[in-house]
Amino acid sequence: MSNVPVLETERLVLRAHREEDFDAMAAMWADPAVVRYISGEEYTPEETWTWFLRYAGHWSVRGYGYWAITAREDSRFMGETGFADYRREITPALNGRPEAGWVLRSEEFGQGYATEAVKAVTAWADANIEIATTVCLFDPEHAASIRVAEKVGYRKLRVSEYRGSETLVMTRPRRWPGAGPLAGK
């Protein structure tokens, strides 16, 4: 995944996933606290490997994708964030808009890492993805991720149904670097 840009924040380095991240990634996706509001079911190592390969494919095909979130201080794998086009069968359709997402190991919850990482990737998207809006989807009960989304400018668009469950769809307009209410924050 040599085409994945490295993004740095005060405490984090966002970089391409590496095969050596896999064990930490598999442990994260097998943690009930992590998947509670995502799928509700722990992922097997096989399912996690499929996600790992999807990340590489997004960068190759779409020109955007997911980054591994690592700690600047010790390079530990902390989670993942980025954009994807999953072509979800949701009504109304997302129409190819990049879908933002993020997930952290449960040990990293509540320390502001998600907001820091998502600010970095949305700033990157604003400068590099030529599309008017991005979206994100959540279980309406996932208050922590909804707060992160709101902090970086996502607003409620609608509640839809996806795979038999209510899903909150949020949207964020593209901001050009140096413009808009979040510039410099």
Side-chain angles (χ1 to χ4, degrees), residues 103-166:
V103 61
L104 292 173
R105 295 177 336 131
S106 59
E107 297 87 352
E108 315 297 351
F109 288 0
Q111 299 176 62
Y113 294 128
T115 300
E116 190 173 330
V118 176
K119 280 183 179 181
V121 301
T122 53
W124 178 88
D126 288 345
N128 293 281
I129 301 175
E130 293 189 18
I131 195 157
T133 60
T134 58
V135 296
C136 53
L137 281 66
F138 301 105
D139 178 323
E141 303 286 319
H142 197 351
S145 278
I146 292 168
R147 278 193 306 276
V148 169
E150 290 171 342
K151 287 178 186 178
V152 299
Y154 283 93
R155 299 293 173 252
K156 180 180 176 180
L157 179 62
R158 66 182 167 266
V159 174
S160 294
E161 187 174 308
Y162 178 65
R163 293 188 175 177
S165 297
E166 273 195 350

Side-chain angles (χ1 to χ4, degrees), residues 3-163:
N3 60 337
V4 180
V6 174
L7 307 178
E8 296 187 23
T9 70
E10 182 179 332
R11 301 180 295 167
L12 307 172
V13 176
L14 283 64
R15 58 156 174 79
H17 285 79
R18 300 176 183 154
E19 193 164 348
E20 59 264 25
D21 296 328
F22 182 72
D23 289 342
M25 185 180 166
M28 177 182 71
W29 285 107
D31 182 342
V34 169
V35 299
R36 177 180 178 191
Y37 294 109
I38 298 172
S39 66
E41 296 181 18
E42 300 158 32
Y43 290 52
T44 66
E46 178 182 352
E47 291 166 323
T48 302
W49 183 249
T50 299
W51 280 103
F52 182 89
L53 296 175
R54 276 182 167 183
Y55 296 153
H58 267 88
W59 284 105
S60 295
V61 174
R62 303 300 290 165
Y64 57 81
Y66 268 66
W67 287 263
I69 302 170
T70 63
R72 180 183 286 278
E73 67 184 6
D74 61 9
S75 301
R76 75 184 179 278
F77 177 88
M78 300 171 68
E80 305 165 340
T81 188
F83 295 90
D85 179 0
Y86 294 123
R87 298 196 179 204
R88 294 186 192 271
E89 294 180 10
I90 189 170
T91 304
L94 300 177
N95 298 322
R97 288 182 281 178
E99 179 184 327
W102 52 91
V103 61
L104 292 173
R105 295 177 336 131
S106 59
E107 297 87 352
E108 315 297 351
F109 288 0
Q111 299 176 62
Y113 294 128
T115 300
E116 190 173 330
V118 176
K119 280 183 179 181
V121 301
T122 53
W124 178 88
D126 288 345
N128 293 281
I129 301 175
E130 293 189 18
I131 195 157
T133 60
T134 58
V135 296
C136 53
L137 281 66
F138 301 105
D139 178 323
E141 303 286 319
H142 197 351
S145 278
I146 292 168
R147 278 193 306 276
V148 169
E150 290 171 342
K151 287 178 186 178
V152 299
Y154 283 93
R155 299 293 173 252
K156 180 180 176 180
L157 179 62
R158 66 182 167 266
V159 174
S160 294
E161 187 174 308
Y162 178 65
R163 293 188 175 177

